[in-house]
Amino acid sequence: MGDAPKLAGPDLSDGVTLAELSEGKPLVGHVGDQGVMLVRRGDEIFAVGATCTHYSGPLAEGLVVGDTVRCPWHHACFDLRTGEAVKAPALTPIACWTVVRDGERVRVGDQQPPAPAPGPQPGHPQRIVIVGAGAAGHAAAEQLRLRGYRGQLVLIGADEAGPVDRPNLSKDYLAGTAPEEWIPLRPREWFAENGIELVLGTPVTRLDVQKRNVLLANGRSYDFDRLLLATGAEPIKLTVPGADRPEVHTLRTLGDSRALIARAHKGRRAVVVGSSFIGLEVAAALRAREVSVQVVAPEAVPLGKVMGPELGAYIRQLHEEHGVVFHLGTRPQSIDEGSSGALLVRLEDGTALEADFVVVGIGVRPAIELAAQAGLAVDNGVLVDDKLQTSVPGVYAAGDLARFVDRQGQRLRVEHWAVAERMGQTAARNMIGATVAGRDGRWTDVPFFWSQHYDVAINYVGSGVGWERVELDGKPADKDCAARFYRGATLLAVATIFRDRESLEAEVALEQR
Ligand SMILES: Cc1cc2nc3c(=O)[nH]c(=O)nc-3n(C[C@H](O)[C@H](O)[C@H](O)COP(=O)(O)OP(=O)(O)OC[C@H]3O[C@@H](n4cnc5c(N)ncnc54)[C@H](O)[C@@H]3O)c2cc1C
Ligand code: FES
C-alpha cells in the first residue's frame, strides 16, 4: 500500500482536445481530488481511476491491452469499461467516469455507479466450502460473490488471523514501515456483509469425497456440493541438532512475522538460513531494524538458480552494501547455546556464528495431506486439469499446492501470490460455471511474481524452470536491466529491475505463444 499519489495533469472536467489522446496511451489528469486517466481505444474513450487499488501503483505507467489496463508494479489488470479488477493482486475495482465529447474536445463527466453484480443462476450449487483462507481461498470467495453466487459459502482457515497480505509479512510490515491495518485483506465485517461464513483457527482434519463432507479439528463438519482446496504450503524445517529451539523461526503467518518483530526488538544479531527470496527479504527487513544479519546458504550465488549468475551476484552485492554478511557454500551443522547465553550456529565449514535468533528460509512443501488422505491424485502437489479440477469431480485446487499443466505442456507448481489469487478466481468461476469475456475457464495464465530488496523490486514473468541460457540487457548495478531466460531458442521467462513496462510487454508476449 502506498500513499495517495499527488494530483497531476489537467483538470479533466474542463477537458482536453482529442489530438492530445494517443491510441492506447493513458493521459493522466484529475477530477476534483481524484486522479483520473483517459484512454483512447479506436473510436472509444474511457475515463477511469489512475491509481491501482492494490498498492496504489500508477496505472498510466502500465500497459493498455485490449480494453484493459495492467498495473506496472504487480501486474493487476482492470477492465476499462467496468473498472473491474479482472486479475489479481488487485481485488477492488477502479472507478469509472462518463466521457463527454463535444466536437474536438473531450471532458470527463459524472462518476458512474459500480456495475451491479449478476443475479444467481439456476445451475449454481447450493453449498461451496473453501479449505484454506489464504491468497487462493480468499480470492475464490470474493470471486464467487462477485459472479452472483448466492448459495452457502464457507471459508475455513487453520490460522486465527484470517486472510492476510502475506507478501507484506517479509517486507514493509516486518521492516516496521507498514502499519498493522494494511495486513488483513478485508475487514472482518466484510465477510459477514457478503454472506461468507469465515471459520478461523480450526484446521480441516478430514476430507470425505464420497460423502462430500469436511471434518474440522473441533468436531464440526460441513457438507459441500463443490470444494476448493487451497491449503497452500508449509515452510520446510531445518533438521540439524538444536533446530527445534524456540529462537529458531520460520516465516509463513502473521503470527510468525510478529514473533520475528518481537525478536528484533530484543535481539540484535540474526542468522538467516537460506538465500531464498523469503530469507533475503527477511534479511533486508531486519537490516531496516538495524539487526545485524548473516546469511548461510549452500549455493555459491544467492538466487543464482532462478535469477542467473549476474542478477544473483548483484542481489548479493546489494545486501552486502546494506551490511549483510554471507557464508555461502556451507550449511548449518548444529545450533547450540554459546557461553554468553546467545546461540552458536556451527557451520559445516567450521565457522561458528553467534546469534540471538535464527530465521530459516529453505523453501516450502505443498500442504497436500488432506488431499492425499482423501485419495485425490497427488504428486508434489495436487494434480489439477486445465479447469483446476482435481481427480475428483467437483473438488478443485488452487494456489501453492496445485500442480497444473502450463502452456508448454509441463506440470508446474508455483509459489506466487498473484498466481494463487488468480487460480482461486478461475477455480471459483469454474465451480459455478460462470464465464467472463475473453476467458474460457481454462487456467492459462503466465506466472508472475515480485520480490523486494531494500528499494529494489524484481519483477519476474514466465517460468524459467530448466533455463539453459540467460541474456542480460542493461546493468543490474544501474538498477535498470532485464534478464531473459531461454531453453534453446525458446524464451521462458523475463526478470526486470525498474523496467516495469518491459515486464508487462514480456507477459503479453509470453501469453501469445
Ligand atoms: C513471507 C512471505 C512473503 C511472500 N512474498 C511474496 C511476494 O513478494 N511475491 C509473490 O509472488 N509471492 C510471495 N509469497 C508467496 C505467496 O504468499 C504464496 O504463493 C501464496 O500465499 C500462496 O497462496 P495459497 O492460497 O496457496 O496459500 P496461503 O496463502 O499460504 O494460504 C493457505 C491457507 O490455508 C490454511 N490451511 C492450511 N492447512 C489447512 C487445513 N487443513 N485446514 C484449514 N486451513 C488450512 C493456512 O492456514 C493458510 O492460511 C510470499 C510468501 C511468504 C510466506
Ligand atoms: S500496485 Fe498495482 S498490482 Fe500492486
Side-chain angles (χ1 to χ4, degrees):
M1 239 153 288
D3 294 330
K6 294 196 175 57
L7 293 177
D11 182 344
L12 296 177
S13 54
D14 286 345
V16 293
T17 60
L18 202 51
E20 290 172 76
L21 297 177
S22 312
E23 175 70 21
K25 193 165 175 288
L27 184 148
V28 190
H30 57 93
V31 174
D33 60 0
Q34 300 194 68
V36 178
M37 61 185 199
L38 285 169
V39 183
R40 182 175 184 172
R41 297 293 294 157
D43 287 342
E44 282 187 291
I45 297 168
F46 303 102
V48 295
T51 306
C52 178
T53 55
H54 179 229
Y55 281 10
S56 304
L59 290 178
E61 293 169 26
L63 192 67
V64 173
V65 182
D67 292 346
T68 67
V69 60
R70 297 189 189 192
C71 178
W73 287 0
H74 315 113
H75 293 205
C77 178
F78 297 91
D79 189 319
L80 290 167
R81 275 176 212 287
T82 63
E84 185 187 324
V86 287
K87 279 193 186 183
L91 298 173
T92 302
I94 48 175
C96 297
W97 282 260
T98 53
V99 173
V100 184
R101 285 174 72 165
D102 185 8
E104 285 306 295
R105 241 182 134 67
V106 179
R107 78 178 164 79
V108 173
D110 295 333
Q111 189 171 332
Q112 293 170 5
Q121 298 298 311
H124 280 178
Q126 286 182 3
R127 298 158 304 182
I128 295 183
V129 170
I130 300 174
V131 183
H138 172 83
E142 285 216 14
Q143 185 69 197
L144 285 166
R145 288 302 186 225
L146 186 72
R147 299 282 158 225
Y149 176 63
R150 297 284 176 269
Q152 184 188 1
L153 179 52
V154 186
L155 178 58
I156 306 169
D159 191 356
E160 274 298 346
V164 293
D165 183 4
R166 208 175 296 291
N168 217 323
L169 302 181
S170 55
K171 302 180 183 67
D172 292 351
Y173 180 72
L174 184 58
T177 52
E180 186 89 21
E181 60 262 30
W182 287 7
I183 300 306
L185 291 180
R186 295 287 184 205
R188 268 309 149 83
E189 55 275 17
W190 181 91
F191 295 91
E193 284 163 14
N194 285 278
I196 299 169
E197 185 179 346
L198 188 59
V199 183
L200 295 177
T202 324
V204 170
T205 50
R206 198 156 190 286
L207 160 62
D208 189 326
V209 290
Q210 261 78 45
K211 291 189 183 144
R212 312 296 264 186
N213 174 283
V214 291
L215 179 67
L216 277 63
N218 64 6
R220 282 182 76 178
S221 69
Y222 289 90
D223 295 339
F224 62 82
D225 301 307
R226 301 274 188 285
L227 179 86
L228 177 65
L229 273 176
T231 47
E234 291 151 1
I236 296 172
K237 303 264 192 232
L238 197 64
T239 52
V240 302
D244 54 353
R245 299 181 65 99
E247 302 92 337
V248 179
H249 295 254
T250 53
L251 174 55
R252 184 80 188 179
T253 66
L254 177 57
D256 295 339
S257 192
R258 284 186 182 139
L260 284 179
I261 292 167
R263 288 281 179 208
H265 281 310
K266 285 188 266 160
R268 306 315 300 160
R269 294 164 301 175
V271 164
V272 172
V273 178
S275 63
S276 59
F277 287 105
I278 289 191
L280 293 181
E281 287 188 353
V282 167
L286 292 178
R287 289 303 298 134
R289 291 181 179 269
E290 295 181 1
V291 173
S292 80
V293 179
Q294 307 200 62
V295 174
V296 179
E299 305 82 33
V301 180
L303 300 177
K305 216 170 131 191
V306 183
M307 291 287 170
E310 288 96 341
L311 264 188
Y314 166 67
I315 293 163
R316 172 182 180 166
Q317 182 199 325
L318 180 66
H319 281 272
E320 285 175 338
E321 283 165 5
H322 286 81
V324 174
V325 175
F326 284 88
H327 301 270
L328 299 172
T330 187
R331 291 185 168 84
Q333 206 168 43
S334 65
I335 302 172
D336 307 312
E337 192 168 320
S339 52
S340 60
L343 297 176
L344 208 56
V345 182
R346 294 182 193 281
L347 309 186
E348 285 174 356
D349 68 2
T351 314
L353 308 175
E354 283 209 341
D356 299 305
F357 62 104
V358 173
V359 190
V360 178
I362 54 174
V364 295
R365 62 169 61 94
I368 57 171
E369 294 71 20
L370 270 183
Q373 157 263 312
L376 271 58
V378 295
D379 176 13
N380 179 31
V382 177
L383 302 185
V384 290
D385 65 13
D386 61 355
K387 299 276 173 72
L388 302 180
Q389 189 164 234
T390 68
S391 55
V392 173
V395 176
Y396 292 74
D400 282 6
L401 90 167
R403 198 147 164 252
F404 58 91
V405 179
D406 76 357
R407 287 167 167 265
Q408 274 66 48
Q410 61 183 355
R411 279 267 175 210
L412 196 63
R413 197 178 62 71
V414 299
E415 296 151 7
H416 309 339
W417 178 256
V419 173
E421 291 187 314
R422 292 172 188 178
M423 285 179 109
Q425 293 170 330
T426 302
R429 290 192 292 271
N430 290 339
M431 282 195 286
I432 59 169
T435 48
V436 286
R439 313 202 77 180
D440 61 4
R442 286 182 307 135
W443 171 251
T444 53
D445 281 32
V446 169
F448 164 77
F449 75 85
W450 79 97
S451 185
Q452 181 84 32
H453 306 254
Y454 313 97
D455 61 339
V456 175
I458 303 166
N459 279 5
Y460 184 103
V461 283
S463 165
V465 177
W467 63 267
E468 297 164 344
R469 177 170 59 90
V470 55
E471 278 179 11
L472 191 63
D473 177 21
K475 291 197 187 121
D478 293 343
K479 297 182 183 172
D480 174 19
C481 69
R484 292 187 171 72
F485 301 87
Y486 290 89
R487 187 169 49 225
T490 308
L491 177 67
L492 301 178
V494 180
T496 56
I497 293 178
F498 289 114
R499 290 197 184 179
D500 293 341
R501 259 186 81 91
E502 202 169 322
S503 176
L504 286 166
E505 283 161 1
E507 183 176 65
V508 173
L510 290 169
E511 282 168 2
Q512 282 163 358
R513 287 212 315 236

